[in-house]
Amino acid sequence: MLCALPLSAMNDGNKFVVVLDAGHGGKDPGAIGSSPQNREKDINLGITLEVGRLLKANCPDVTLIYTRSTDVFVELGRRAEIANKAKANLFVSIHTNALPKNARKAMGVQSYSLCLRTAATNLAVEKRENSVIALEGEAAKKYDYNPSPESNIMFELMQDHDMKESVNFAKLVQGEMVHTGGRNDMGVLQANLAVLRLTYMPSVLLEVGYISTPAEEQFLMSTSGRQAMAKSIYNAIVRYKALQTGRESKLEKPTPETKEKKTDKQDKETPAGTAPAEAEAPAATHIPATDNTKSSASANTGKQTVYKVQVLAGSTKLRPNDRQFKGLTCEMHQQNGRYTYTYGSATTLEEAKRLRQSIIDKFPQAFIVTFEK
């Protein structure tokens, strides 16, 4: 028998409820860097609080809830319970990645949504992020999850909408972490993560970088690095909120000094199973003015702003008739070794919105970018 689950759409009023979850905390430090003082739980909390500050400053229509705002231990089930009780519209869990000491170095960001069928390449992430359950003693029994194939099907049917929206948001935030945060793109992925499985709304878990890699450890331990990642996550929330509600909010611009210089060596050191996402994970290479932000067109410079709809991005050059374009005629743009592909052209934001809407069935993750000429 099917049972009703609380859906984010049941949230009353005009408030858009966002739950920010700083991973680990208290007796659970998470991953440790080169120094015992460099702890994942502190990175996660610092970024989370900065995202919250930006939301409070710029989004009066957002109700913000933290699963933790201090250095305390919060059970995974309790984190999900907080979001479910609030009937949240979006749940964002912020984490820092790590590899074993004898592993090759890796640099980059990943965005995870829920998938009940474990992929072998994501098993290490599942083990690490679910390992906190071992610290919960008797309370851990509630996570026992060995469903039959029929139960899996039922669960997926009930959460189909939220899982699709989770993927949509994951693509948005991955693009922002790459563009606004200047980080290496390691893909939009799926995994069976307990904190996502227990929530009843669009939910993602973000890996904002590798504390096990010295350069990224230094970046994530710095104020400017955490602010860059917070801006990225904030921008994605704002974009997603506008898509859901039609209400726009101020976006944060990239910080040039945080741009990561990707080298061939970094490409070779990317561990197997976490290859950078190709054309299905959009990442703008121009300052974006999406359908959820008002453009400040270059009136003062005399230049004309042109709006295009970005549909794909990646490190691989596609042929004009590639099937990934789904029959559309797209324009290619190349910058810093990455290729982005846009559809159409418009001189006003309203026209660009209509252009995006005309292809939304083929590219639900598409967004508007601006060019000057």
Side-chain angles (χ1 to χ4, degrees):
M1 185 175 80
L2 291 177
C3 60
L5 293 177
L7 301 176
S8 56
M10 292 174 61
N11 174 38
D12 296 330
N14 294 320
K15 289 289 186 179
F16 189 83
V17 180
V18 176
V19 174
L20 297 180
D21 175 47
H24 305 279
K27 63 182 179 181
D28 174 24
I32 304 295
S34 59
S35 166
Q37 286 72 43
N38 294 356
R39 303 173 299 188
E40 177 187 354
K41 66 176 183 178
D42 300 324
I43 295 172
N44 300 343
L45 183 59
I47 294 173
T48 297
L49 294 178
E50 179 62 14
V51 175
R53 186 191 68 79
L54 291 170
L55 287 170
K56 289 178 180 178
N58 300 314
C59 304
D61 60 333
V62 167
T63 295
L64 175 64
I65 298 172
Y66 298 108
T67 59
R68 71 178 183 97
S69 58
T70 59
D71 184 19
V72 295
F73 178 76
V74 183
E75 296 176 355
L76 293 181
R78 175 58 182 157
R79 295 168 190 263
E81 181 184 345
I82 291 170
N84 293 337
K85 186 176 181 180
K87 298 179 182 177
N89 298 92
L90 186 63
F91 177 85
V92 183
S93 188
I94 298 172
H95 289 254
T96 305
N97 223 331
L99 290 174
K101 290 184 178 180
N102 59 349
R104 292 174 294 174
K105 301 300 180 185
M107 298 183 73
V109 292
Q110 298 171 322
S111 300
Y112 282 89
S113 61
L114 177 65
C115 180
L116 299 182
R117 299 180 182 89
T118 297
T121 54
N122 299 336
L123 185 59
V125 173
E126 290 185 10
K127 288 181 177 179
R128 185 178 65 253
E129 299 302 354
N130 290 336
S131 64
V132 64
I133 295 173
L135 300 176
E136 299 185 17
E138 286 296 311
K141 292 180 179 179
K142 62 179 173 288
Y143 301 117
D144 288 343
Y145 189 72
N146 296 299
S148 65
E150 292 80 7
S151 296
N152 264 345
I153 294 171
M154 183 183 298
F155 188 89
E156 290 185 6
L157 285 173
M158 289 189 291
Q159 287 208 322
D160 184 59
H161 174 266
D162 288 341
M163 292 172 78
K164 287 181 180 178
E165 287 300 314
S166 296
V167 172
N168 289 339
F169 178 73
K171 291 177 179 179
L172 280 177
V173 73
Q174 184 72 10
E176 283 291 340
M177 289 194 293
V178 172
H179 171 61
T180 303
R183 314 318 293 159
N184 184 34
D185 187 353
M186 295 186 73
V188 176
L189 307 168
Q190 292 183 308
N192 191 348
L193 301 170
V195 74
L196 301 184
R197 192 174 68 237
L198 297 171
T199 55
Y200 301 142
M201 72 285 302
S203 306
V204 297
L205 184 145
L206 309 178
E207 298 284 5
V208 298
Y210 284 84
I211 197 174
S212 55
T213 299
E216 287 212 321
E217 177 186 8
Q218 182 179 5
F219 173 80
L220 293 169
M221 291 304 300
S222 70
T223 299
S224 60
R226 295 183 193 188
Q227 288 177 342
M229 300 315 299
K231 285 181 180 180
S232 306
I233 298 167
Y234 161 81
N235 278 356
I237 293 172
V238 165
R239 295 186 189 286
Y240 183 78
K241 174 176 70 74
L243 288 172
Q244 299 298 310
T245 68
R247 300 193 297 269
E248 302 169 354
S249 299
K250 172 189 172 184
L251 291 174
E252 292 291 320
K253 295 181 179 179
T255 306
E257 60 267 24
T258 65
K259 284 291 181 183
E260 181 176 85
K261 294 182 179 179
K262 184 177 176 182
T263 65
D264 291 338
K265 183 179 179 182
Q266 287 173 13
D267 277 338
K268 294 175 183 177
E269 291 180 341
T270 300
T274 53
E278 295 300 333
E280 287 301 321
T285 55
H286 296 269
I287 297 176
T290 69
D291 57 345
N292 46 353
T293 183
K294 295 178 180 178
S295 170
S296 55
S298 308
N300 297 329
T301 65
K303 295 181 180 179
Q304 181 183 357
T305 298
V306 177
Y307 302 87
K308 299 176 185 289
V309 181
Q310 182 169 314
V311 295
L312 297 172
S315 56
T316 300
K317 184 176 180 180
L318 302 178
R319 295 181 178 180
N321 62 345
D322 193 285
R323 61 188 179 86
Q324 293 190 65
F325 294 128
K326 301 179 182 179
L328 298 181
T329 300
C330 296
E331 181 181 1
M332 183 187 75
H333 312 273
Q334 183 178 5
Q335 182 177 351
N336 299 328
R338 286 186 61 81
Y339 299 92
T340 57
Y341 300 89
T342 60
Y343 172 73
S345 180
T347 56
T348 67
L349 184 55
E350 288 302 317
E351 183 182 354
K353 289 180 181 179
R354 292 191 292 270
L355 189 64
R356 176 185 176 275
Q357 192 61 38
S358 69
I359 63 168
I360 200 68
D361 57 330
K362 294 184 176 181
F363 293 98
Q365 80 278 18
F367 57 93
I368 298 169
V369 292
T370 61
F371 295 80
E372 290 183 353
K373 68 175 185 178

